[in-house]
Amino acid sequence: MLEFQDEAIVLGARAHGETGAVAHVLTQEHGVWAAHVAGGASRRMKAVLQPGARAQIAYQARDADRLGAARLEALDATPDVLDDALALTGRQSACAMTRLALPEREAQPGVYHALSALLGLMDMPEVWPAVYVRYEAGLLEALGFGLDLSACAVSGGHDDLIYVSPKSGRAVSRAAGAPYHDKLLALPPFLLSSQGGLGEGDIARGLELTGFFLERHVFHPHNQPLPEIRRRLAEALR
């Protein structure tokens, strides 16, 4: 018998049978799990199974190779963004990217807390897009593909870093990258420092940067594109 209790963030759910649902959740201590939720199609449970909802989960399975069953009880709500189409898209994208990028059943407490923090900011439109980009950079880090933005890959210097090499994922300075600028990815200042500030187009450039490496390292190896909801988010935030 396999069982545990934990706090969780719902990443998505689909109908299963006439009254049930299969939910994917990111738990605080146990990683991403799929589970059957009895009564998941009910009006009460639909709210609990919305992407981004926080819940207490009690999971139980006969053995580790079978889909288990879970009871979910709603915890304190994340900000209500149902009337904010852009924030709702951002929340759905963050949950979809998490579900598809992370391997199942591997503990990722850092990702859990980062996603929880992002979801808690979704009612702050001047803040959450930049935090979203940082969250995707954190996903890359958690998967072992983190960007190295500490110094120029060519000179070793720490100043005027404005590019990222698409080959190495390392930062490149303005001077070192000038001859190859059309082959490099833009590095928005806010990814270097929380004091970096946001300029026009920086969010779009940040999403292009993280999306490039997530496609390369996470989705393309499985012959998959970035999720459609992620593409819609990038278009909306241009």
Side-chain angles (χ1 to χ4, degrees), residues 64-97:
D65 295 326
R66 296 189 182 187
L67 178 71
R71 296 192 314 275
L72 295 175
E73 296 292 338
L75 294 175
D76 55 294
T78 52
D80 181 6
V81 296
L82 294 181
D83 295 327
D84 184 338
L86 182 58
L88 183 59
T89 300
R91 185 169 75 179
Q92 292 171 338
S93 179
C95 291
M97 293 293 286

Side-chain angles (χ1 to χ4, degrees), residues 2-209:
L2 172 65
E3 56 186 351
F4 65 82
Q5 296 187 24
D6 205 346
E7 291 187 8
I9 297 170
V10 177
L11 303 178
R14 57 179 172 82
H16 185 80
E18 293 186 3
T19 61
V22 172
H24 282 83
V25 299
L26 172 63
T27 64
Q28 181 171 319
E29 300 294 340
H30 298 81
V32 174
W33 287 72
H36 179 262
V37 180
S42 69
R43 180 176 299 180
R44 182 184 74 85
M45 288 304 299
K46 280 185 177 180
V48 181
L49 295 179
Q50 289 298 310
R54 295 184 66 247
Q56 183 74 27
I57 181 173
Y59 179 91
Q60 189 174 78
R62 290 186 178 179
D63 59 64
D65 295 326
R66 296 189 182 187
L67 178 71
R71 296 192 314 275
L72 295 175
E73 296 292 338
L75 294 175
D76 55 294
T78 52
D80 181 6
V81 296
L82 294 181
D83 295 327
D84 184 338
L86 182 58
L88 183 59
T89 300
R91 185 169 75 179
Q92 292 171 338
S93 179
C95 291
M97 293 293 286
T98 304
R99 177 174 65 85
L100 294 171
L102 292 182
E104 290 194 4
R105 304 187 178 193
E106 290 187 11
Q108 291 282 359
V111 175
Y112 176 89
H113 291 296
L115 180 58
S116 182
L118 170 61
L119 295 173
L121 297 171
M122 297 304 292
D123 59 348
M124 301 175 66
E126 71 282 4
V127 172
W128 74 257
V131 178
Y132 179 98
V133 177
R134 286 179 173 272
Y135 177 71
E136 287 197 345
L139 276 180
L140 284 166
E141 181 75 27
L143 294 167
F145 305 115
L147 304 176
D148 183 355
L149 308 180
S150 60
C152 175
V154 179
S155 68
H158 301 278
D159 299 326
D160 211 15
L161 304 176
I162 67 166
Y163 302 113
V164 173
S165 166
K167 292 184 178 180
S168 67
R170 297 182 62 190
V172 179
S173 69
R174 186 187 306 273
Y180 321 101
H181 69 92
D182 58 336
K183 298 180 180 180
L184 300 172
L185 297 165
L187 173 57
F190 76 90
L191 283 177
L192 289 170
S193 166
S194 58
Q195 312 302 319
L198 277 176
E200 184 176 355
D202 277 354
I203 296 298
R205 285 185 280 271
L207 288 171
E208 181 181 0
L209 178 63

